[in-house]
């Protein structure tokens, strides 16, 4: 396995999925024993499920919050936080995970595309989403407006991804793509870690990066749905391969 190609001007865009947290003990979605097992996705992760039975939804996310209390970031999360300290604004991390492990590891330039398990928001008033580690047996009411129901700040199936987040990613790619290496590549390296490549828009990032002339690498335990779109696929455990791939960052 080679380290990723870094120069003093390389911009690194990283996409992570459930696989990066697997070795921290957070179950992945689609692997055997995954999170959805025993739960109907529609029931706990869609606006329709919420309307039908918000109490079941809160029980499910409360259970997930309890599970998070015991997990810690691993070497792969830490390696990404370390590389960000070297690259500064030449680094952007997009995660599909809601486990907040990247921020606990010290990452700052993080876009949590699918929300954050430790945040809640009101379904009625304009109060911004807020940090919330509590667990609920009954549906909580917003203390600010006194009437709206609180819900987990998670992007459910059929819901929109935050537009500002998508714009921030596009801008990062655009800026990096303006600069070229001697070999004619864009000064953009894309690394996807621990993701099965089936959920969009995250799964479409590799194609965008390739279209602007960036180089794309996948670090995953097994081939993903879109591995054929990457320049190189490195198979293995995130805690072992991510630190090695990032060794040359400067
Ligand atoms: P998946 O569970 O679909 O895929 C996890 C990937 O990580 C698989 O390809 C595994 O092979 C790989 N993997 C497992 N252990 C690993 C390890 N130790 N090191 C490296 N790779 C490992 O998870 P995501 O791709 O993140 O969306 O799923 C995407 C989205 O689907 C989730 O964010 C969620 C779900 O529906 C929402 O909740 C909106």
């Amino acid at each position: 396995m080679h380290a990723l190609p870094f120069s003093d001007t390389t911009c690194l865009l990283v996409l992570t999925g459930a696989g990066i947290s697997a070795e921290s003990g957070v179950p992945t979605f689609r692997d055997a024993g995954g999170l959805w097992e025993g739960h109907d996705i529609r029931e706990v992760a869609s606006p329709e499920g919420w309307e039908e039975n918000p109490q079941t939804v809160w029980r499910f996310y409360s259970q997930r919050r309890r599970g998070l209390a015991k997990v810690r970031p691993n070497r792969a999360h830490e390696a990404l936080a370390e590389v960000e300290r070297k690259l500064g604004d030449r680094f952007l991390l997009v995660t599909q995970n809601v486990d907040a492990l990247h921020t606990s590891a010290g990452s700052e330039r993080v876009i949590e595309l699918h929300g954050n398990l430790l945040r809640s928001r009101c379904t009625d008033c304009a109060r911004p989403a807020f940090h919330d580690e509590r667990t609920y047996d009954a549906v909580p009411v917003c203390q600010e407006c006194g009437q709206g129901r609180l819900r987990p700040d998670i992007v459910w199936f059929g819901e929109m991804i935050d537009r500002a987040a998508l714009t921030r990613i596009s801008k990062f790619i655009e800026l990096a793509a303006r600069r070229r290496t001697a070999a004619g590549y864009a000064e953009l390296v894309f690394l996807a870690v621990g993701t099965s490549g089936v959920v969009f828009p995250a799964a479409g990032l590799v194609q965008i990066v390739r279209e602007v002339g960036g180089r794309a690498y996948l670090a995953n335990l097994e081939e993903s749905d879109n591995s054929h779109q990457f320049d190189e696929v490195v198979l293995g455990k995130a805690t072992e391969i991510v630190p090695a791939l990032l060794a040359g960052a400067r």
Side-chain angles (χ1 to χ4, degrees):
M1 172 194 2
H2 302 290
L4 299 182
F6 280 105
S7 76
D8 292 341
T9 48
T10 303
C11 297
L12 177 64
L13 176 67
V14 180
L15 169 70
T16 63
I20 197 168
S21 298
E23 291 164 82
S24 290
V26 183
T28 63
F29 294 89
R30 286 169 190 82
D31 298 341
L35 188 63
W36 305 117
E37 214 173 74
H39 293 278
D40 176 353
I41 294 185
R42 209 192 133 274
E43 195 178 32
V44 293
S46 77
E48 296 77 25
W50 168 254
E51 284 315 318
E52 275 163 30
N53 201 339
Q55 196 170 345
T56 302
V57 172
W58 262 120
R59 278 207 208 102
F60 174 70
Y61 288 98
S62 294
Q63 187 192 328
R64 290 184 68 189
R65 281 185 179 177
R66 277 191 283 272
L68 268 198
K70 293 173 234 128
V71 304
R72 299 284 169 267
N74 63 44
R75 276 298 300 141
H77 298 103
E78 283 161 8
L80 289 171
E82 255 166 63
V83 90
E84 179 183 352
R85 285 193 282 275
K86 290 185 190 156
L87 270 58
D89 284 337
R90 290 187 287 125
F91 177 92
L92 184 63
L93 173 54
V94 180
T95 187
Q96 299 166 90
N97 300 342
V98 296
D99 57 27
L101 288 180
H102 285 301
T103 42
S104 340
S107 289
E108 289 175 5
R109 293 162 179 86
V110 188
I111 294 181
E112 292 171 323
L113 214 53
H114 295 165
N116 184 320
L117 192 50
L118 298 180
R119 274 199 319 252
S120 301
R121 65 181 166 87
C122 180
T123 50
D124 259 18
C125 74
R127 174 187 190 183
F130 59 95
H131 185 82
D132 188 10
E133 296 190 15
R134 284 168 296 183
T135 56
Y136 302 103
D137 286 325
V139 182
V141 169
C142 174
Q143 287 175 329
E144 203 125 312
C145 68
Q147 54 184 24
R149 295 178 301 180
L150 291 184
R151 60 164 275 182
D153 190 27
I154 302 278
V155 179
W156 288 325
F157 288 98
E159 293 189 316
M160 302 283 285
I161 302 267
D162 178 34
R163 187 180 284 272
L166 297 176
T167 306
R168 193 169 156 204
I169 300 169
S170 309
K171 286 226 167 93
F172 184 87
I173 293 175
E174 237 171 69
L175 276 176
R178 282 195 204 141
R179 291 190 291 224
R180 296 276 149 181
T181 66
Y185 289 111
E187 282 282 32
L188 174 64
V189 169
F190 174 61
L191 172 65
V193 183
T195 176
S196 54
V198 294
V199 173
F200 283 80
L205 280 178
V206 57
Q207 197 182 333
I208 298 171
V209 167
R210 294 295 304 274
E211 277 168 11
V212 301
R215 282 159 295 172
Y217 300 81
L218 173 68
N220 212 46
L221 198 56
E222 60 197 9
E223 296 283 339
S224 69
D225 258 41
N226 60 355
S227 11
H228 60 280
Q229 295 184 296
F230 288 81
D231 291 286
E232 208 173 305
V233 177
V234 182
L235 297 183
K237 290 184 176 176
T239 55
E240 289 163 14
I241 55 183
V242 172
L245 285 170
L246 298 177
R250 54 197 163 103

